[in-house]
Amino acid sequence: MPLLAASTQRNLGMAIAVVAIVGFAIYLIYNVLWAGREERGSELELAPNRKPYMNDQELETRRLDLALAGGLATLVIIGVALPLYWLGEPGRQQGYVEDSRRQFTSRGGEMFEEQCSDCHGGGGLGGSTATTIVDDSGNFVTPVQWEVPALTTTLYRFSEDEVRHILNYGRPPTPMQAWGAPGGGPLTTQQVDELIQYIQSIQLSPEEVEQEVLDGLILQVRGDVLEANPELGARLAEANDAVRQAGADEAAAEAAARNLAAVEQEIRETSEQYIRDLPGVDGASAARGELLFNNGVYGCARCHTPRDSWRFTVPEEAPGEDPKTYEQGSPEEAEVVARLGSLIPEREPGGGAFGPNLTNGSTKRQFDTAGDHAGFVAEGSQEGKAFGNFGQGDGGGQMPAFGVCVGDRDSGERSPIHGFCTLTDGSPRPGMLTPEQIDDIVAYERGL
Ligand code: HEC
Ligand code: HEC
C-alpha cells in the first residue's frame, strides 16, 4: 500500500511535469514563431495604448466575474491539492523508509559476504578462522583455529549502539578487528549502519533460538546419555551398521535410514529428560548451569574461560586445505597443551578471558544475592551504568543481555532497528535464555 501511494504520486508528478513542459514549449513556440513576428502596420494604429479600452459595464461585470471565477478555481485547486498531497505524504515517507531499509539490507549483505563471511560463515551462521597466538612481547606461541560466533542472535543480546561499538572497535586481542572509522577501520559510518541492518535481517525467531540452545545442551550430554543407557548405544551402533550394509539396495537403505532417525529421536528425547532431571537445589541446577555456561555462542565460556575459542591445529598435512584441529579434551590436545606449558593460559572454567574472572567467589562479592546476579546476567552491562557492588559499566556494554531482548533498547524511532524487540503480534520478543536457565547458570557461577 505505501509503495502504491508512492508510485501514484510519482505518476501524478510526472503528469504535472509533462503538462508544464509541453505548455512551456507551446508558449515558446507561439512567442518566437508567431507573436514575435515583425509588426504589420503603423504603430500609430496598432499600439496597445491607442486602442479604445473596455467600458465600465464590461469591466465591472463580465470581466470582474471572470477574474473572480478564475481566482475561485485556483483556490479550489490549491484547497483540494494540498490535503491530497498530505494524505499521500505518510505513505510516501513509509515507502521511503522501507525502500532504504531494503537497500541498506542488501548492500550490508553484499558487504558481509565480502568482508565478514570468511570468518563468520555465509549468512552469519558461524565459522572459524586461522590465527596465531603470541605472548605479551609479541613472540609466536602457536597457531590455532579461533571459533567465530554466529551472528544470528546478536540483536537479542546487544543493543544497536553496542553492536556499533563492536564493529567500530573490534575485540582486541581476538581476530575480530576494528572495522569502523572511529577504531581506525576501513568502513564508513553508513557502511557500518548497513551491516547492522543486515545483521537484523538474519536474526532467528524466538522458537529457533530456544531450539538452538537446547540442541547445544543435547550435544554436550550425548556421550553421558549413551553411557548411561548402554541399550540405546547398542541400538545406535546396530542402526549405523544397517545403513552401511544396505549399500545399493534402495528399499533396505530407506528402511535403515528411517530406523536410524527413530533411534536418534529417542536419544534426543532421553537427553532432554536427562537434562531436565539434573540435580538441583530449590529448582536451580548448577549442573545444568554448567552446560548452559559452556554452550558455545549461546553460553558464557567463550568470553569468560581462557582458550575456550581455540582449537589447536594439526601440523599441516595437505597444504591449501582448511587446517585440521584437535578436538577439545582429546588426548592429542592434552599433548599440545603439555608441550606449550606456561606459554598459554590454563583453561580454568570462568578464569577470565575477554570477560572478567568469575572464580574464587568473585561473583558473590560483586552481587550480594543470586537474584541481583541473575538480574545482571539477564540485562547485561551498559556503557556508563554501574552494576553490582563495584561494577563500573564501561567499555561499551560488552557483557551481553541474556534474559531480555535489547536490540532496539537505544534505537530512536527513525532507526532501522526500531521495533526489533516487539514481535509482529505486538508481544515483546523474549530474551535468549529463560529466567530458569539464568538461575541455573547463576547457581553454577556462584560456586566457581
Ligand atoms: C578474521 C576473522 C573475522 C572477520 C573478518 C570478522 N570477524 Fe567479527 N568476530 C570474529 C571473532 C573471532 C569474534 C569473537 C571474538 C571473541 O572471541 O570474543 C567476532 C565477533 C563479532 C561480533 C560480536 C558477536 C558476539 O556475539 O559476541 C560481531 C557483531 C561481529 N564480529 C561482526 C562482524 C562483522 C559485521 C564483520 C565484517 C565487517 C566481521 N565481524 C568480520 C572474527 C572476525
Ligand atoms: C561477548 C562476551 C561475553 C559473554 C558471551 C558473556 N560475558 Fe559476562 N562479561 C563480559 C564482559 C566484557 C564483562 C565486564 C562488563 C563490564 O565491566 O562492563 C562481563 C561481566 C560479567 C559478570 C560480572 C563479573 C564481575 O565481577 O563484575 C558476570 C557475573 C558475567 N559476566 C556473567 C556472564 C554469564 C552468566 C554469561 C553467559 C550466560 C556471560 N557472562 C557471557 C563479556 C561476556
Side-chain angles (χ1 to χ4, degrees), residues 157-158 171 293 298-300 302-304 354-358 362-363 366-367 373 376-377 381 387 390-394 398-400 402 433 441 445:
R157 293 175 284 118
F158 291 114
R171 282 249 181 91
F293 189 89
Y298 301 101
C300 328
R302 69 188 179 99
C303 288
H304 286 287
F354 174 68
N357 188 328
L358 307 174
S362 71
T363 55
Q366 178 70 284
F367 304 103
H373 188 160
F376 174 71
V377 175
S381 66
F387 61 88
F390 33 80
Q392 295 295 315
D394 43 35
Q398 295 304 290
M399 164 67 191
F402 284 90
L433 301 180
I441 296 179
E445 261 179 11

Side-chain angles (χ1 to χ4, degrees), residues 69-313:
L72 182 66
T74 316
L75 260 179
V76 168
I77 289 171
I78 294 174
V80 172
L82 264 184
L84 272 185
Y85 175 80
W86 284 111
L87 274 179
E89 182 63 6
R92 193 194 65 79
Q93 285 180 355
Q94 182 70 21
Y96 176 77
V97 168
E98 277 170 25
D99 255 7
S100 47
R101 278 187 184 199
R102 235 191 316 276
Q103 227 175 44
F104 264 51
T105 307
S106 84
R107 278 201 221 134
E110 279 166 27
M111 201 165 5
F112 188 88
E113 290 307 317
E114 269 171 35
Q115 312 273 13
C116 325
S117 63
D118 274 355
C119 289
H120 285 280
L125 295 176
S128 69
T129 181
T131 185
T132 45
I133 303 301
V134 293
D135 65 15
D136 291 343
S137 357
N139 297 316
F140 173 88
V141 172
T142 179
V144 296
Q145 280 291 112
W146 195 297
E147 295 289 295
V148 184
L151 301 179
T152 47
T153 55
T154 304
L155 285 174
Y156 282 76
R157 293 175 284 118
F158 291 114
S159 76
E160 182 182 343
D161 278 355
E162 287 162 358
V163 176
R164 191 170 286 120
H165 182 95
I166 299 171
L167 296 188
N168 280 340
Y169 298 101
R171 282 249 181 91
T174 81
M176 177 65 190
Q177 65 171 90
W179 287 95
L187 302 183
T188 64
T189 312
Q190 178 168 338
Q191 287 173 318
V192 167
D193 283 348
E194 287 166 358
L195 282 168
I196 295 176
Q197 179 64 45
Y198 171 70
I199 290 175
Q200 156 157 316
S201 77
I202 58 170
Q203 298 302 292
L204 299 177
S205 71
E207 295 75 24
E208 289 168 324
V209 174
E210 193 186 334
Q211 198 57 45
E212 296 254 313
V213 171
L214 188 58
D215 286 349
L217 303 184
I218 291 175
L219 202 63
Q220 289 184 67
V221 300
R222 185 183 172 94
D224 293 347
V225 165
L226 289 176
E227 209 172 294
N229 297 276
E231 171 267 341
L232 205 51
R235 273 174 39 216
L236 177 66
E238 251 171 58
N240 274 319
D241 279 348
V243 169
R244 235 172 282 127
Q245 279 160 14
D249 183 346
E250 255 182 48
E254 204 177 293
R258 222 178 305 123
N259 182 41
L260 178 61
V263 176
E264 283 291 352
Q265 180 60 25
E266 208 179 323
I267 296 175
R268 226 192 124 76
E269 281 161 17
T270 314
S271 304
E272 284 182 32
Q273 193 58 44
Y274 177 93
I275 293 167
R276 268 196 296 274
D277 290 346
L278 283 170
V281 180
D282 296 337
S285 160
R288 208 158 39 229
E290 182 175 5
L291 296 175
L292 287 158
F293 189 89
N294 290 314
N295 201 15
V297 66
Y298 301 101
C300 328
R302 69 188 179 99
C303 288
H304 286 287
T305 299
R307 290 190 0 226
D308 187 75
S309 300
W310 302 5
R311 304 289 180 273
F312 293 104
T313 44

